[in-house]
Amino acid sequence: MTCARDSSHVVREEAEGVFVEDSAPTCTQPQKGHFEATFKNDAFAKQVSDSVDGEGAKGHEYNAATYEWNGNKCTATKVCKEGDDTVTEEVTGTFVEDTAATCTTAQTGHYEASFSKEGFAKQSTEADSVTGEAALDHDYGDPEYKLA
């Protein structure tokens, strides 16, 4: 600040600005805030900056994925710990034979599901939990006769 009567009379003071948080960072938005500078000399007024970005967005942190089977479809879901994002993927499981069909029993197997989205693990239903092709029935062919 310069004296109006004598320009050689100058008063200066430097004050360090302090960041004041207006809003915390979220998963998708950076921290918002402003700087405030307070001077020791009462001749200088407190200064406040315009809004500025502070620390960057945190990114999503998800809870453990959950999986739900409905027939041969498996749905994987994971929810952000902050509750502001949900990722879901549904895939059709592939039938895997565990026990081949015989004349009297049907084929059994299970489904396996693989996901393309990050954070989802391969899933499968229990072994022999799915019925595949029906029992084959007997195939005796033509009878043979022997006379005694």
Side-chain angles (χ1 to χ4, degrees):
M1 169 168 63
T2 305
C3 176
R5 293 188 183 96
D6 184 345
S7 63
S8 67
H9 295 156
V10 177
V11 177
R12 292 177 192 246
E13 182 178 339
E14 288 186 18
E16 190 166 324
V18 176
F19 183 79
V20 177
E21 181 179 79
D22 296 324
S23 63
T26 67
C27 297
T28 58
Q29 297 296 313
Q31 175 188 44
K32 295 287 186 183
H34 63 276
F35 286 94
E36 292 182 358
T38 305
F39 299 91
K40 293 178 185 173
N41 186 330
D42 290 339
F44 297 108
K46 175 179 171 180
Q47 297 295 298
V48 178
S49 73
D50 291 334
S51 181
V52 295
D53 288 347
E55 134 186 6
K58 298 185 299 183
H60 295 293
E61 185 178 341
Y62 292 96
N63 292 311
T66 59
Y67 303 91
E68 183 177 336
W69 283 94
N70 184 8
N72 68 341
K73 305 266 187 210
C74 186
T75 302
T77 304
K78 61 182 180 176
V79 178
C80 177
K81 290 181 178 182
E82 300 294 326
D84 64 351
D85 189 51
T86 300
V87 177
T88 302
E89 182 177 0
E90 181 182 84
V91 298
T92 300
T94 302
F95 181 80
V96 177
E97 180 181 82
D98 294 320
T99 306
T102 67
C103 296
T104 57
T105 60
Q107 173 192 44
T108 59
H110 64 277
Y111 291 119
E112 289 184 350
S114 295
F115 299 89
S116 61
K117 292 184 179 177
E118 185 178 330
F120 294 139
K122 183 177 181 179
Q123 297 294 301
S124 64
T125 59
E126 290 185 37
D128 293 316
S129 64
V130 179
T131 301
E133 73 179 52
L136 303 173
D137 291 330
H138 297 287
D139 185 7
Y140 292 111
D142 292 333
E144 287 184 25
Y145 300 100
K146 291 187 179 181
L147 296 174

